[in-house]
């Protein structure tokens, strides 16, 4: 029974409105799986017999995100729900989207197109489960099994193999024997997929509570040999072999690999995985932090450069790499003792320096001197007071040939 406290309760209004208009509607896919697994539920998706046009007509707040694939986002009581018309997919010739979709009449036909039995579940508004492929039994025995013939399903869309690995890393499930054999047989198909699709799944893979299980399947299937960067440097995969701790970001993964194999440039990881600028900046910040910490340990210069938003991710990497342990508290405490938090806080600027040496033309010496003052102030060997800084500068004039 779906009671008031039920996580699906808020969405029931959508199902009821569709029913009132004479359509069928069900909760479907990952949300039903996670509900049965008693895991936190992510997005609640709804499948319906109503056409996308009907859905747009029935609800007042809609965002037609993927009309050509039958999906409309419905805003309801402050939440967003994907409402998708029952459909079957055509070919995936661009390895991104199905070339065409065909709307179908029944939920069972819709469930047939889904990747794994545990994801091919629907639930009605009373909590009754529709399970034509024995997904519940596979969930009970922790099995990842394709819906229908694995070879055919993987040849329709090779991303399903990566998704299978991702679910093993998230749930710790076993990949059913035939499904696994077909992954081994079809692994090369992964090379033709759009990298963005692989990356989205790999991000979930890397943050999986059972990442070790996932990595062992990545190894066993040989799929890693067809992934960006690993395909040219299969030896790098060894670095992942003892990964037991889930990662919190893709940037952490890049930093972890690059720190241990600095011969593969950071840009290669960013370019090949088509990572965002945000990921690039975090990966670079984490790599710098690891390199400095590895060489010098904890000091003021280190905490000065470590952005608050990267502390936690840095700590996880320190743990994984078995570098000297450090606590968040130690980092924060040392940060609080700093005289400045950025070079803009310095009691002196480039203009002051020029006034002290009016005979010198502005040039690189200005930047070098400011950098030297910044480091001394951060390390506490100089007080950030204008007069003290001026005295120091006069004793350490710029070295110009
Ligand atoms: P998560 O909780 O991480 O979102 P999910 O199972 O909901 O997991 P989604 O990518 O949101 O994964 O997909 C929603 C549903 O759509 C899946 O449960 C599955 O039924 C179906 N699905 C998604 N991708 C594919 C695919 N490539 N092939 C077949 N079915 C798919
Ligand atoms: Mg989902």
């Amino acid at each position: 029974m779906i009671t008031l406290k039920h996580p699906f309760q808020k969405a029931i209004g959508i199902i009821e409105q569709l029913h009132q208009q004479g359509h069928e509607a069900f909760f479907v896919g990952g949300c039903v799986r996670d509900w049965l697994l008693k895991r936190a539920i992510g997005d609640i998706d709804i499948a319906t017999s109503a056409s996308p046009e009907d859905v747009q007509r029935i609800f007042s707040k809609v965002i037609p995100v993927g009309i050509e694939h039958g999906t409309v986002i419905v805003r309801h009581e402050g939440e967003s729900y994907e409402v998708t018309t029952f459909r079957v997919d055509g070919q995936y010739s661009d390895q991104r989207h199905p070339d065409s979709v065909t709307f179908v009449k029944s939920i069972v036909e819709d469930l047939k197109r889904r990747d794994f039995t545990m994801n091919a579940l629907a639930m009605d508004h009373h909590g009754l489960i529709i399970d034509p492929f024995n997904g519940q039994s596979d969930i009970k025995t922790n099995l990842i099994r394709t819906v229908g013939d694995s070879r055919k399903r993987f040849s329709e869309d090779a991303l399903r193999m990566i998704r299978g690995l991702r679910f093993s890393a998230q749930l710790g499930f076993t990949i059913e024997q035939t499904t696994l054999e077909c992954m081994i047989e079809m692994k090369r198909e992964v090379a033709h997929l759009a990298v963005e699709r692989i990356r989205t799944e790999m991000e979930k893979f890397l943050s999986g509570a059972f990442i070790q299980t996932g990595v062992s399947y990545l190894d066993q299937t040989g799929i890693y040999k067809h992934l960006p960067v690993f395909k040219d440097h299969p030896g790098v995969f060894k670095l992942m072999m003892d990964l037991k701790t889930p990662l919190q970001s893709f940037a952490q993964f890049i930093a972890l690999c690059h720190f241990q194999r600095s011969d593969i440039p950071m840009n290669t990881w960013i370019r090949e995985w088509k990572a965002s600028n945000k990921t690039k900046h975090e990966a670079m910040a984490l790599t710098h932090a690891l390199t400095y910490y590895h060489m010098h340990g904890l000091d003021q210069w280190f905490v000065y450069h470590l952005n608050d938003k990267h502390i936690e991710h840095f700590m996880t990497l320190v743990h994984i790499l078995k570098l000297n342990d450090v606590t968040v508290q130690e980092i924060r405490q040392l940060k609080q003792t700093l005289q400045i938090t950025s070079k803009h806080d310095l009691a002196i600027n480039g203009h002051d320096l020029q006034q002290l040496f009016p005979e010198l033309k502005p040039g690189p010496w200005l930047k070098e001197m400011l950098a030297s003052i910044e480091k001394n102030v951060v390390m506490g060997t100089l007080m950030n007071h204008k007069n003290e800084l001026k005295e120091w500068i006069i004793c350490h004039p710029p070295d110009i040939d």
Side-chain angles (χ1 to χ4, degrees):
M1 252 329 258
I2 294 186
T3 58
L4 269 178
K5 282 214 183 105
H6 201 290
F8 293 85
Q9 177 60 34
K10 240 180 147 178
I12 280 193
I14 299 185
I15 303 245
E16 282 173 350
Q17 282 191 59
L18 286 161
H19 281 180
Q20 277 160 22
Q21 302 292 321
H23 305 290
E24 289 180 51
F26 300 90
F27 300 113
V28 75
C31 62
V32 182
R33 174 198 70 223
D34 288 342
W35 163 244
L36 292 172
L37 281 166
K38 302 190 169 55
R39 291 176 89 230
I41 289 167
D43 301 326
I44 293 184
D45 296 329
I46 292 169
T48 181
S49 58
S51 70
E53 293 73 27
D54 286 334
V55 176
Q56 290 186 85
R57 237 189 332 266
I58 294 169
F59 298 97
S60 52
K61 286 191 212 146
V62 294
I63 312 168
V65 276
I67 284 281
E68 68 282 15
H69 300 119
T71 302
V72 175
I73 288 185
V74 173
R75 295 280 304 160
H76 178 75
E77 294 182 13
E79 308 275 350
S80 292
Y81 300 92
E82 273 192 16
V83 179
T84 305
T85 305
F86 298 159
R87 62 165 218 231
V88 289
D89 298 340
Q91 277 290 320
Y92 279 76
S93 51
D94 71 349
Q95 304 298 336
R96 277 166 211 269
H97 309 291
D99 297 340
S100 61
V101 303
T102 310
F103 298 132
V104 292
K105 284 276 161 278
S106 82
I107 181 68
V108 173
E109 273 185 90
D110 178 277
L111 294 176
K112 220 191 255 178
R113 73 165 163 100
R114 293 173 184 271
D115 47 6
F116 299 106
T117 58
M118 63 181 178
N119 292 339
L121 295 166
M123 184 169 79
D124 78 2
H125 61 306
H126 298 300
L128 188 83
I129 307 278
I130 295 153
D131 178 13
F133 307 103
N134 299 320
Q136 290 174 103
S137 142
D138 284 340
I139 286 178
K140 280 204 189 89
T141 50
N142 295 2
L143 270 185
I144 298 170
R145 182 201 309 267
T146 51
V147 171
D149 180 64
S150 303
R151 193 171 294 109
K152 178 166 173 282
R153 301 314 310 284
F154 292 149
S155 70
E156 285 166 0
D157 181 10
L159 190 74
R160 291 171 188 152
M161 293 187 259
I162 310 277
R163 285 175 58 85
L165 298 176
R166 179 266 263 206
F167 290 116
S168 76
Q170 285 184 316
L171 308 173
F173 280 20
T174 305
I175 302 177
E176 179 273 329
Q177 197 54 33
T178 310
T179 304
L180 184 65
E181 281 163 15
C182 288
M183 280 187 177
I184 296 171
E185 186 187 319
M186 315 264 308
K187 57 178 177 287
R188 281 169 202 83
E189 299 305 311
V190 162
H192 306 297
L193 288 167
V195 173
E196 297 86 336
R197 297 183 76 206
I198 305 181
R199 199 193 57 230
T200 307
E201 294 300 329
M202 280 308 283
E203 283 169 359
K204 294 184 179 179
F205 175 103
L206 293 166
S207 66
F210 299 86
I211 183 163
Q212 220 178 351
T213 309
V215 168
S216 122
Y217 278 126
L218 201 47
D219 182 32
Q220 205 178 327
T221 55
I223 287 180
Y224 75 91
K225 290 181 197 148
H226 304 278
L227 294 180
V229 186
F230 295 105
K231 67 181 191 300
D232 304 315
H233 306 277
V236 181
F237 185 69
K238 279 204 205 84
L239 306 175
M240 287 185 77
M241 288 303 278
D242 327 306
L243 211 49
K244 296 184 187 74
T245 313
L247 299 180
Q248 296 121 319
S249 72
F250 198 70
Q252 252 181 336
F253 165 65
I254 294 180
L256 184 63
C257 296
H258 180 60
F259 176 72
Q260 298 176 91
R261 280 287 304 266
S262 51
D263 57 311
I264 303 168
M266 172 71 76
N267 267 340
T268 302
W269 290 96
I270 301 294
R271 193 186 57 240
E272 301 243 332
W273 280 96
K274 298 199 175 166
S276 66
N277 266 338
K278 183 170 173 278
T279 296
K280 178 179 175 170
H281 290 137
E282 189 192 330
M284 284 183 7
L286 289 171
T287 307
H288 287 147
L290 285 172
T291 310
Y292 187 93
Y293 181 75
H294 187 47
M295 284 174 67
H296 306 276
L298 186 67
D299 68 12
Q300 290 96 324
W301 194 238
F302 167 76
V303 294
Y304 176 69
H305 286 286
L306 185 62
N307 196 311
D308 279 351
K309 65 179 184 221
H310 295 146
I311 295 181
E312 226 179 293
H313 293 191
F314 168 77
M315 304 281 297
T316 305
L317 293 179
V318 165
H319 172 74
I320 291 171
L321 290 161
K322 301 192 179 73
L323 303 181
N324 279 340
D325 257 346
V326 58
T327 64
V328 180
Q329 210 184 4
E330 281 170 309
I331 294 179
R332 289 203 199 283
Q333 268 172 2
L334 192 55
K335 244 180 185 250
Q336 273 169 6
T337 67
L338 297 178
Q339 300 187 75
I340 59 171
T341 57
S342 95
K343 61 171 175 255
H344 305 293
D345 298 339
L346 283 175
I348 214 158
N349 58 27
H351 188 69
D352 300 322
L353 290 185
Q354 269 180 276
Q355 282 189 333
L356 284 171
F357 302 101
E359 72 284 7
L360 294 182
K361 276 201 216 122
W365 68 271
L366 269 173
K367 218 174 156 189
E368 284 159 21
M369 180 154 265
L370 278 172
S372 167
I373 297 167
E374 183 189 11
K375 181 136 192 196
N376 277 290
V377 169
V378 169
M379 295 303 280
T381 46
L382 263 178
M383 292 306 288
N384 189 29
H385 298 149
K386 202 163 193 157
N387 286 339
E388 185 171 334
L389 294 181
K390 275 186 180 171
E391 269 173 40
W392 184 88
I393 292 160
I394 289 161
C395 295
H396 300 79
D399 185 16
I400 296 191
D401 301 325

